[in-house]
Structures are given as structure tokens and as C-alpha cells.
Amino acid sequence: MSTTATPLTTTPAVPPVGTPAAKARRKLTSPWASLVAVVLAVLWTIPTLGLAISSFRPELQIKTTGWWTAFSDPEFTLDNYRAVLGVGEDASTNLGDYFINSLVITIPSVIIPICLATLAAYAFAWIKFPGRNLLFVAVFVLQIVPIQVTLIPLLKLYVDADLMGGYWPIWLSHSTFALPLAIFLLHNFMKEIPAGLLEAARVDGAGHVAIFFRVLLPLLTPALAAFAIFQFLWVWNDLLVALTFAGGGEDVAPITVALANLSGTRGTAWHLLSAGAFVSIILPVTVFLLLQRYFVRGLLAGGLKG
């Protein structure tokens, strides 16, 4: 006698009609809510639009008129981009080299905390050991420690260990600062996975390694993507950590350091900042737009239950 297994189908949970959750759902999907969302999106987009227009305007117009005057008196040029990208005689710097440095800094600074936090979150969520709850609370409390108070002790530690002068201090610092939040988000996401799923894997003979890689890891895609986006944006836009641990060398300085130096020693070349800033935001905006659905799903799943 043979039996055929029917696949399980799940439907999204919809609040019953008349409940407070259903009423809140209707309010959030009302035309007024959509109108508010559109207005907020426009308000948030206006500064970016102004930055894009300013980046193509001549230096004299940028310094004497507002960006909105470009609609009545359009005059555009690529001189600002030539200057910041190191093209032509008026080139002031080459953001391309700093762009590569930012990639070299950002990618390991995202991968390292994800790998460590995923293993730690699994241990806190599904492995019982003495002091687990107390240690998890300690990790959670580390989120409120200001980064500024750790810079000098870390810098002294790196100098004593002879790690200064390369990318390692920046990678380790960003990974250290990111671990508490990463462990918290991934732990909460793992706790929402039904325990019966893990018990079924144990019945089939799976150990912790098999459960982690074959059962949990495929289900963690939204949470991993959410933290990856958050960490990517944080590291890419960071200036303080880079200034502290890059050692002042241009060979490891990220693009944010180059942007800080674009305005010149007396602030007379600030017209180049619009083009340089627009170059620097292209990659993070692209990453966020491509993975935004995972970002929302992962944050909601990791922030609602503890």
C-alpha cells in the first residue's frame, strides 16, 4: 500500500473582521494613509533631487543660486564629475580609488559579523547552557554602549598588537560594533521558527550542524538580508571609524574620507561635494532598492518577539 504526501500550503494570516487588528489594517490601507505615504516619499526625495541637479550645474551657479532655479534657467555641465573622478586637467581627486577602498572595507565588515552572529544566535536560541539568559542580556545591553567610548581602547589594542596600517582594524571594529544588534535580530527570528521542525530533524538523526545548515539557514534569508543591508549602509556611510583606524593613509581610506576632503582646506570647493556625494550614494541606493522587501520582512520578524 502506497501513500502520497500532499504538500502543505500556508495562507497569510488575515485578522477576523471586526477585531482591532482588522480595523487597524483597514486604516493603514485607506486612501488617506496612501496619500500620507506619497507625501512623505516626495518630501524625502526632494533633497536627493536637489543633489542630483546641483551635481550637473556649473560652479558659479551652484554658489550664487539655488538648485530649483535650474528649471527656469537650465545650464548643465559634467565638469564637477570630471573633477571628482580624476578626468581632465581640472581633476581634484579620483573617487574611483576611494570607491574601491569602500568596497574592500564594507564587504568583509558585513560578512564577518553575519557569520559570527548567526552561530551565536543559534546557540542562544536552541542550545541550553549555564548562564545563557544572563549572557544574552549582556549582549543586548551592549547595543546601548556609544561607539565613541570604545575608540581609544580599541586603538590602543590595535597599536599594541601591531595591526595598524591595513584594513584589519576597520574590519574588526565594524564587526565588533555590529555583533550585538545582529545577534539580537537573528536570535528573535530563530525563536519564531517552530520547535517541531527542529525536533523532526533530530528524530531523523540530524545534529546541531545539520540542523543549522540544512534547516535553519535556508529560513533565515529575510533576516540575513535585512541585517546585511543595514550593516552595508552603516559601514559605507561611516566616517568616524575610518578616520580613527585607517591610520591616515589614502591607500585604505574609504570614499567618505575623500568626500570630507573635497571641499578644500578653506571650504571653497564645496561645489564638488554634490557630484562626489551623488557618486557615493549610487551603490547603497541600488542595494537597498534591490533588497528592500527582505529588509522590511527581516526587521519585522526580528523586532516583534524576544
Side-chain angles (χ1 to χ4, degrees):
M1 181 177 179
S2 62
T3 59
T4 58
T6 58
L8 295 176
T9 58
T10 59
T11 57
V14 178
V17 179
T19 60
K23 295 179 180 178
R25 186 185 182 90
R26 285 197 301 269
K27 290 181 180 179
L28 292 176
T29 56
S30 66
W32 289 108
S34 301
L35 178 61
V36 171
V38 171
V39 171
L40 291 177
V42 171
L43 292 177
W44 276 95
T45 306
I46 287 177
T48 305
L49 176 63
L51 180 67
I53 294 176
S54 297
S55 66
F56 290 100
R57 303 184 72 207
E59 176 183 353
L60 180 61
Q61 289 196 0
I62 292 177
K63 292 183 176 181
T64 56
T65 60
W67 64 266
W68 52 86
T69 59
F71 295 103
S72 59
D73 184 21
E75 184 178 351
F76 300 103
T77 179
L78 294 176
D79 291 343
N80 297 332
Y81 284 96
R82 293 191 184 99
V84 300
L85 293 177
V87 179
E89 299 179 355
D90 298 332
S92 59
T93 186
N94 186 3
L95 286 186
D97 297 337
Y98 295 95
F99 193 93
I100 299 300
N101 289 343
S102 289
L103 280 178
V104 175
I105 291 173
T106 304
I107 293 176
S109 298
V110 172
I111 295 176
I112 293 174
I114 283 182
C115 294
L116 296 178
T118 306
L119 296 173
Y122 175 79
F124 282 124
W126 298 109
I127 299 179
K128 295 182 179 180
F129 57 88
R132 180 180 64 171
N133 294 333
L134 182 61
L135 185 58
F136 180 75
V137 171
V139 172
F140 176 77
V141 171
L142 287 176
Q143 296 183 66
I144 66 175
V145 177
I147 294 178
Q148 291 79 1
V149 303
T150 65
L151 295 180
I152 299 303
L154 279 178
L155 183 60
K156 185 178 183 301
L157 180 64
Y158 295 149
V159 171
D160 294 340
D162 197 20
L163 290 176
M164 297 300 295
Y167 292 107
W168 279 104
I170 309 177
W171 291 341
L172 294 177
S173 300
H174 281 303
S175 301
T176 303
F177 299 148
L179 277 176
L181 177 61
I183 294 174
F184 175 72
L185 288 177
L186 295 176
H187 167 270
N188 290 352
F189 194 93
M190 287 187 185
K191 291 297 289 185
E192 291 187 350
I193 298 175
L197 190 62
L198 277 71
E199 293 297 334
R202 291 192 182 97
V203 170
D204 291 337
H208 287 299
V209 175
I211 292 174
F212 177 79
F213 285 101
R214 296 185 181 181
V215 179
L216 290 180
L217 203 57
L219 300 176
L220 293 176
T221 301
L224 294 176
F227 174 75
I229 296 173
F230 184 85
Q231 179 70 355
F232 184 94
L233 298 178
W234 172 265
V235 177
W236 185 272
N237 295 321
D238 169 73
L239 177 61
L240 178 61
V241 175
L243 285 176
T244 304
F245 300 112
E250 295 183 357
D251 52 338
V252 297
I255 195 171
T256 51
V257 174
L259 290 177
N261 297 330
L262 268 182
S263 60
T265 56
R266 298 183 180 180
T268 58
W270 59 267
H271 63 283
L272 300 177
L273 288 177
S274 56
F278 205 75
V279 170
S280 68
I281 68 174
I282 291 177
L283 183 59
V285 168
T286 302
V287 170
F288 180 79
L289 292 178
L290 291 177
L291 301 176
Q292 60 177 332
R293 67 180 186 275
Y294 295 112
F295 183 74
V296 176
R297 288 169 54 190
L299 286 184
L300 288 178
L304 294 180
K305 290 182 64 178

